[in-house]
Amino acid sequence: MPQSYDLKAHHKNFFLDHTAPNGLIEVHGYDILLYKDIFEDIDLKFYSGSSGARMTFICQPGFIPGNLVLGFQGQDSLNVDVNGTLRLYRNGRWLEFRQAQAYQVDSLGGVVPLNWNAEYQTSGGQGTVSFQFDNYDPHLPVLLQIGPEPMVDVNAPDALCWGTYFGGDDGERIYASTTDSDGNYYVVGYSLSAFVTFPQTVGIQLVSSGEAVFLTKFSPDHELLWTVYWGGAGDHTVGWGVVAKSAQEVYVTGYSVDNSLFNWPQSGAYNDQLASGGQRKAIVGKFDGSGNCLWSTYFGDGREAAYGIALDGLDRLLIVGETDGTGLPIQPMSGATSWSYTGGTRDGFIALFGSDDELLWCTPYGSDEDDAATDVRASGTGFVVAGWSEGEVTTVDGGAFAYDQSTNAGGTDAFLLAFNQNAVCTWATPFGGGGEDLPGTNSLTIAPNGDILLVGGTTSTDMPIAPGSGWYDPSNSGQAGFILRFAVSSRQLVWGTYISGTGENVLECVTTDAFGNIYVAGYTEDATLPLAELNGVYFQDALVSDYQGPVQEGLDAMLMVFTPSHVLVHSSYLGGGSGIFGENICTLTWRNALIYAGGHTSKHTDQFSFFPLYNPGAPAWFDDLYFYPSTRDGFLVALCTDLFTGVADHGSFETSDQLMVLETDHRRFTVLGWDPSSRSLTVFDPSGKIVHRMAISAPQRSATLNLAHLSPGIYLLRTEGHRRVWRESCCAKH
């Protein structure tokens, strides 16, 4: 039996079929496990650190280390490579033991490094391995440490507050994220890794999870608090969405092909614990602030999958997805809009739950071809659903100025549906051109002013886009990202643009901050992506190609930031080399001046990789080890955006646009976003006194202010022109 030391703060909860009926909760790991006298005069110690698990053989004084022999069985081959690494090959994968490091410990506990390494010696390629030694003091213990090198210090890239791999010994994908009212951060996705390696914990592989949903909670300081595994006995249970009603009620949705989902009915809620067949079934789960399961249910028993989740203005749960119409629990609601299943192999569906998680309303929506609802977002007045269709969906006129497209323009079109709080559809339209137009993974957000923003990817060259204000790209050269903005009241398309260049661009996600700044992200292989560098914000100015043998594949994540008036203020690649599949940002969440990005990567850290890792220090979780050759690892980064200072719109006579104020250095500000007719920029203190004024010469579009002479506080900035057109912004600093 091992002796354990230094209990880890975070824990894991298991809600899987073999942990029924109550689950297995509060499972903690340890930083150290010691197997005393595992062999005569030899102790074996495991250490779990941020750079991976290490094992150390502690040979007591008098023992001859050369007599230590390790035996391996079950491998297809075993050898030592030119770097001294012991390599075992099994079922198409390598298990590697780096060359052991040797040192001694004196009688006072001091470490005495040995100026040589313990080299592995194999016995004719068989399953036994011994060590080759030089001189050492036989009166002192000899320690042989096997595992990753000690973690090197990682310098923080500009304005990167946190950057870490997040996964185990096999593939992971992060699909969604959210925050709660206490500022905690949650990510959800799926993992193929052994439970004991996700995130890295000491020990050996005891059980493989297949594909299980993971839900992980971080504190506002990025401390890992817990991880929940949720699923059944088989493979392919995937988490696609997460939303927090409070710090004590976190909902997850997705799908499973397994018929043994962990069963946890909730009194008064919709409960369906029966499943059959081998097709996808939508799933819904709810967990408390410690990761305990409060509710777990299937939703449908035909071919269903749930992709989007939200809470409406009354804190009622919404989920959307796809159905083949055979097992969906269709539920009409008085006054609400409902449709019938219309054919094809699948339609979209929308479901609304009550305050006790009871099912209030559920309807399919689609055409006689294939369709799916992929995302949902809500505000205080209603909710919006995005999806895609290959056919002719039902349309609802959104009003005199609304964008209304009566038919599918060709291929696959995106669609938008708007509902009021009574689930009455007030607008329904497809949107697209003659190619393939698909919303991203987290394609929707509602801006602070209520406008609807939708992003995705398109091969169409004839999408009905609109210049609007600010930045605009009118053409698609192949596979482009797209951004659409619809006005809250009129549903008019007020801004629609491609993100296009010399390679593929796809936007997966969009969010806004409290000021209305717009963040979009996804992946790109475009070496001519429009870049914009903002001083002090993380910036990568080049696409880094990924090499794998003869294959060169350039695919990096990308992030773009626009002001509320669509001025492109920052645009950057995010990724590096030495992988196979590149990076993809699938989810963005803004919280307290941090923009959290989550996704997956096939990178591992080496001297050629530019993947932005940064350890901000305790208590933040940090993992700089990529488990090669896992196909993909998750990643999380937090970009500092507190430089975006103030963009509040205080009213305009002839324009609704506003100034953008960015602090680029200590009390030095860049101001941009005014009308070309502006002739001066004035700064007022709270009493209305002018404290700074400067002239603006056309076509100047930005200005730099040095306000070091001013006391910290709140100031009003105003631009004025010969027609008395002005724009204003308040700028508050600590």
Side-chain angles (χ1 to χ4, degrees):
M1 292 296 294
Q3 302 170 27
S4 55
Y5 302 90
D6 298 336
L7 184 73
K8 290 181 178 291
H10 60 270
H11 67 266
K12 298 179 181 179
N13 293 348
F14 297 83
F15 299 105
L16 303 162
D17 70 305
H18 59 277
T19 66
N22 298 314
L24 188 62
I25 66 172
E26 297 284 340
V27 179
H28 288 264
Y30 293 85
D31 286 330
I32 298 174
L33 290 181
L34 174 64
Y35 290 85
K36 191 73 174 175
D37 291 322
I38 192 168
F39 308 114
E40 186 177 355
D41 293 328
I42 299 179
D43 300 336
L44 177 59
K45 182 179 285 189
F46 287 97
Y47 303 83
S48 178
S50 58
S51 61
R54 301 182 183 91
M55 66 178 183
T56 302
F57 292 101
I58 305 172
C59 303
Q60 301 300 329
F63 180 81
I64 301 174
N67 290 342
L68 176 61
V69 178
L70 306 183
F72 297 90
Q73 63 183 20
Q75 67 275 1
D76 298 324
S77 67
L78 179 150
N79 60 69
V80 178
D81 67 16
V82 294
N83 297 314
T85 299
L86 178 65
R87 294 166 59 85
L88 291 81
Y89 189 72
R90 169 70 174 173
N91 289 339
R93 299 189 63 182
W94 290 100
L95 177 66
E96 298 181 349
F97 291 81
R98 297 188 186 182
Q99 185 171 332
Q101 304 296 309
Y103 58 96
Q104 296 191 280
V105 178
D106 63 25
S107 59
L108 299 178
V111 174
V112 181
L114 300 179
N115 296 322
W116 46 267
N117 291 316
E119 298 176 355
Y120 295 111
Q121 300 289 312
T122 61
S123 178
Q126 301 303 310
T128 57
V129 177
S130 60
F131 297 91
Q132 180 180 2
F133 286 86
D134 283 345
N135 295 328
Y136 61 94
D137 185 344
H139 301 96
L140 296 176
V142 174
L143 290 85
L144 304 175
Q145 180 174 287
I146 302 169
E149 297 289 341
M151 186 183 67
V152 298
D153 184 39
V154 180
N155 295 320
D158 287 344
L160 186 63
C161 290
W162 181 41
T164 179
Y165 290 120
F166 193 67
D169 65 345
D170 210 323
E172 274 79 32
R173 293 202 182 191
I174 294 173
Y175 282 130
S177 60
T178 193
T179 59
D180 64 24
S181 55
D182 292 342
N184 299 300
Y185 174 58
Y186 303 83
V187 294
V188 70
Y190 76 82
S191 173
L192 279 163
S193 296
F195 297 136
V196 296
T197 67
F198 180 90
Q200 294 164 212
T201 51
V202 70
I204 60 173
Q205 179 170 326
L206 299 177
V207 58
S208 180
S209 65
E211 288 171 320
V213 175
F214 71 83
L215 169 66
T216 300
K217 179 180 180 180
F218 296 90
S219 75
D221 296 324
H222 321 310
E223 180 183 6
L224 177 57
L225 300 178
W226 47 256
T227 292
V228 165
Y229 296 97
W230 177 45
D235 290 345
H236 214 56
T237 302
V238 179
W240 271 94
V242 60
V243 68
K245 182 182 291 189
S246 69
Q248 295 300 320
E249 292 180 285
V250 182
Y251 293 87
V252 175
T253 196
Y255 65 83
S256 177
V257 298
D258 195 283
N259 294 329
S260 59
L261 183 74
F262 182 85
N263 183 337
W264 200 271
Q266 177 183 228
S267 178
Y270 174 88
N271 295 300
D272 179 6
Q273 309 304 328
L274 301 176
S276 60
Q279 300 188 91
R280 293 180 176 182
K281 294 161 279 288
I283 55 176
V284 183
K286 182 167 70 170
F287 302 89
D288 70 11
S290 298
N292 298 305
C293 187
L294 303 175
W295 179 40
S296 174
T297 182
Y298 290 107
F299 189 78
D301 192 21
R303 186 187 186 278
E304 279 75 39
Y307 299 122
I309 190 169
L311 295 166
D312 74 358
L314 301 176
D315 269 348
R316 299 178 301 183
L317 180 67
L318 287 154
I319 64 170
V320 301
E322 65 178 40
T323 177
D324 69 354
T326 62
L328 185 73
I330 295 174
Q331 175 71 50
M333 184 172 71
S334 178
T337 302
S338 294
W339 295 277
S340 300
Y341 184 82
T342 52
T345 61
R346 51 185 160 168
D347 273 3
F349 78 78
I350 311 157
L352 174 67
F353 298 82
S355 57
D356 294 324
D357 300 322
E358 74 277 18
L359 182 62
L360 299 178
W361 169 67
C362 179
T363 180
Y365 174 80
S367 70
D368 58 359
E369 301 290 340
D370 283 356
D371 322 278
T374 56
D375 203 7
V376 58
R377 292 292 183 269
S379 66
T381 58
F383 59 94
V384 182
V385 176
W388 57 264
S389 174
E390 295 178 350
E392 303 294 341
V393 294
T394 302
T395 61
V396 176
D397 189 346
F401 300 100
Y403 178 86
D404 289 306
Q405 181 176 307
S406 59
T407 63
N408 184 300
T412 301
D413 279 2
F415 65 71
L416 277 174
L417 306 172
F419 297 83
N420 63 22
Q421 281 197 330
N422 296 318
V424 175
C425 184
T426 57
W427 179 42
T429 182
F431 191 100
E436 301 296 312
D437 314 300
L438 294 170
T441 303
N442 291 283
S443 61
L444 274 175
T445 196
I446 297 178
N449 72 345
D451 285 1
I452 300 165
L453 286 153
L454 174 71
V455 302
T458 179
T459 61
S460 297
T461 59
D462 57 344
M463 286 187 73
I465 56 178
S469 61
W471 191 87
Y472 173 65
D473 181 353
S475 62
N476 177 11
S477 59
Q479 170 67 58
F482 66 80
I483 309 172
L484 310 175
R485 182 170 189 159
F486 300 91
V488 56
S489 299
S490 67
R491 281 72 181 265
Q492 180 182 2
L493 177 63
V494 294
W495 182 44
T497 180
Y498 292 113
I499 306 295
S500 182
T502 58
E504 181 179 5
N505 289 293
V506 172
L507 297 180
E508 294 277 22
C509 47
V510 58
T511 194
T512 60
D513 59 26
F515 308 115
N517 298 301
I518 302 164
Y519 304 83
V520 300
Y523 64 88
T524 180
E525 59 176 8
D526 182 3
T528 62
L529 183 76
L531 299 178
E533 181 178 6
L534 187 64
N535 185 36
V537 179
Y538 176 79
F539 180 69
Q540 179 183 318
D541 63 358
L543 181 73
V544 181
S545 295
D546 308 316
Y547 292 90
Q548 183 68 18
V551 178
Q552 178 179 348
E553 186 270 332
L555 195 68
D556 279 351
M558 49 86 81
L559 172 72
M560 304 178 79
V561 185
F562 299 87
T563 70
S565 55
H566 315 144
V567 176
L568 179 63
V569 292
H570 191 67
S571 176
S572 175
Y573 299 103
L574 191 150
S578 68
I580 303 173
F581 301 105
E583 285 87 13
N584 186 8
I585 296 175
C586 293
T587 178
L588 291 172
T589 299
W590 184 86
R591 181 191 65 83
N592 293 345
L594 293 179
I595 185 73
Y596 288 91
H600 49 264
T601 175
S602 62
K603 303 292 187 292
H604 60 85
T605 49
D606 61 20
Q607 59 183 331
F608 303 108
S609 176
F610 295 89
F611 191 83
L613 300 176
Y614 174 56
N615 181 9
W621 167 262
F622 179 69
D623 177 8
D624 69 338
L625 184 64
Y626 181 89
F627 276 89
Y628 187 80
S630 63
T631 55
R632 291 176 176 87
D633 217 353
F635 71 79
L636 300 169
V637 297
L639 296 166
C640 312
T641 62
D642 55 349
L643 305 181
F644 298 94
T645 305
V647 292
D649 185 4
H650 296 277
S652 306
F653 286 113
E654 298 182 22
T655 176
S656 62
D657 292 334
Q658 53 218 349
L659 297 180
M660 184 67 188
V661 184
L662 313 171
E663 186 175 15
T664 53
D665 200 354
H666 181 62
R667 297 205 191 162
R668 291 179 64 89
F669 300 86
T670 295
V671 185
L672 65 162
W674 57 72
D675 189 276
S677 65
S678 300
R679 295 293 179 267
S680 65
L681 175 66
T682 307
V683 182
F684 301 85
D685 70 9
S687 69
K689 177 183 176 181
I690 296 176
V691 294
H692 186 86
R693 172 174 282 172
M694 64 180 295
I696 301 172
S697 58
Q700 186 181 2
R701 300 292 292 166
S702 65
T704 299
L705 297 178
N706 186 350
L707 304 182
H709 62 288
L710 299 180
S711 301
I714 300 175
Y715 295 86
L716 178 71
L717 283 72
R718 173 178 294 171
T719 58
E720 302 180 46
H722 63 278
R723 293 184 295 132
R724 301 298 297 168
V725 178
W726 68 57
R727 307 179 188 193
E728 303 175 330
S729 180
C730 271
C731 174
K733 292 302 293 179
H734 297 289

